[in-house]
Amino acid sequence: MNIYFYAIIFIMGTLFGSFYTLAVYRIPKGQDITHTHSYCPNCGNKLGFFELIPVLSYIILGGKCKSCKQKIRPRYLILEILSGCLFVAFAYALKLNFYNINVTDLISLAFISLYLTCIILISFIDKENRNIEKSLLAYGIIISLIYIVYLCVVEKASMYRYAIYLMAIIIILLIDILKIKKQAINSYTINILTLLLIMLIFTGEATCILTIITTLLAVATYIIINKIKDKKSKNKQIESKHNLNIKIGFTMGLANILSFLIILNICN
């Protein structure tokens, strides 16, 4: 029965993955992600039911739009599969199975699903545009508040640590609103700090420490590799461009997801 249980989790994950691909495309363009019907970005044709089945639709259609035959980017298929695998990995880390599942486990999986939605969308939009969407940060803060209420009311967790995190978020938001530039903090940096605090609330201190270490190592490796390439090409303009285009949100998001999985497996 566990095989069928995890198959259902995988299918649920691919459905989320299908939504992620839609949201990553539409949110930066300011388009609606909930009420507007899915359509081909090339010809505008509205997709039918059988064109919206995650993974299978891409394979059956041969990676092309049914209407205009325009090739669909493989990243859509990859993200759907990875999302399905990710949901299975978290369900396994939580030790969920068909025979002993309970309400608490389902609530934990629900919060993780909401959190992953926030992190994945922020990460991949940052990868495409080097921009942390404030609407997604607002979503992250809202689900963080709901999660804190759940922990404090239902699980009787201490509210003091979370109160500190919330105060830090409020201070950062005030800095952003008041545009305090004397401290040399740009909007991207402020958004990264807000994202880190959301990560702290959901994944805890140990996960965030591992996330920061992994992110710093990844960024350092990226800079070193590009400096070596730039020295070979002797092009300082390319070097400057590489340093300015580091996608911290994307790197930190992936590092956090992997770190969270590792910590969950160790603790459980």
Side-chain angles (χ1 to χ4, degrees):
M1 289 298 294
N2 269 336
I3 294 176
Y4 298 109
F5 175 74
Y6 279 103
I8 292 171
I9 297 293
F10 177 81
I11 292 170
M12 184 178 75
T14 62
L15 290 171
F16 272 85
S18 181
F19 169 74
Y20 298 155
T21 59
L22 177 149
V24 168
Y25 175 80
R26 292 190 186 182
I27 289 176
K29 297 178 181 294
Q31 298 179 5
D32 178 75
I33 62 172
T34 56
H35 296 91
T36 303
H37 194 84
S38 296
Y39 61 89
C40 171
N42 182 59
C43 66
N45 180 59
K46 290 184 178 181
L47 305 183
F49 174 78
F50 292 103
E51 296 173 88
L52 295 172
I53 302 173
V55 181
L56 290 178
S57 292
Y58 187 95
I59 295 171
I60 292 171
L61 293 172
K64 295 179 181 179
C65 172
K66 184 180 178 180
S67 178
C68 67
K69 307 302 179 183
Q70 175 73 22
K71 189 173 181 181
I72 303 170
R73 294 174 66 178
R75 74 169 189 179
Y76 294 107
L77 174 66
I78 294 169
L79 187 54
E80 288 174 354
I81 294 173
L82 287 178
S83 179
C85 293
L86 193 60
F87 271 65
V88 170
F90 272 103
Y92 181 80
L94 291 170
K95 299 295 185 283
L96 300 184
N97 66 71
F98 180 80
Y99 299 101
N100 67 0
I101 193 166
N102 54 55
V103 175
T104 302
D105 292 334
L106 290 175
I107 292 173
S108 296
L109 187 61
F111 274 119
I112 286 177
S113 301
L114 293 173
Y115 175 70
L116 286 177
T117 298
C118 176
I119 298 303
I120 290 173
L121 293 184
I122 286 175
S123 299
F124 281 91
I125 288 175
D126 185 58
K127 180 181 181 296
E128 294 294 317
N129 306 289
R130 197 182 182 273
N131 177 51
I132 308 295
E133 289 286 336
K134 291 189 181 295
S135 60
L136 290 172
L137 288 177
Y139 162 74
I141 292 170
I142 290 169
I143 61 172
S144 296
L145 290 171
I146 296 171
Y147 185 57
I148 290 171
V149 171
Y150 168 76
L151 290 176
C152 294
V153 175
V154 179
E155 297 195 1
K156 308 300 181 184
S158 173
M159 64 178 293
Y160 296 109
R161 58 185 285 201
Y162 297 111
I164 293 171
Y165 296 153
L166 289 176
M167 284 299 297
I169 289 175
I170 291 170
I171 291 170
I172 290 173
L173 292 177
L174 286 173
I175 291 173
D176 190 28
I177 292 170
L178 297 173
K179 306 294 182 185
I180 302 176
K181 297 181 179 180
K182 292 181 179 179
Q183 299 180 23
I185 302 178
N186 60 36
S187 181
Y188 188 77
T189 303
I190 290 172
N191 292 340
I192 289 294
L193 292 174
T194 306
L195 177 60
L196 182 60
L197 287 167
I198 293 170
M199 290 177 175
L200 268 169
I201 292 171
F202 269 96
T203 63
E205 290 82 359
T207 299
C208 280
I209 290 171
L210 186 56
T211 297
I212 292 169
I213 292 171
T214 306
T215 302
L216 290 174
L217 288 173
V219 170
T221 303
Y222 174 84
I223 292 172
I224 291 169
I225 290 173
N226 281 297
K227 280 187 176 292
I228 292 171
K229 289 181 179 179
D230 294 335
K231 282 183 180 180
K232 289 181 179 179
S233 64
K234 295 181 181 180
N235 191 332
K236 293 184 179 181
Q237 289 184 345
I238 296 177
E239 179 181 357
S240 176
K241 185 178 179 181
H242 283 317
N243 291 335
L244 288 172
N245 286 329
I246 297 174
K247 281 67 178 286
I248 301 294
F250 173 70
T251 308
M252 194 166 72
L254 294 188
N256 181 255
I257 291 172
L258 291 175
S259 299
F260 195 20
L261 268 175
I262 291 170
I263 297 297
L264 279 177
N265 277 289
I266 292 173
C267 293
N268 293 329

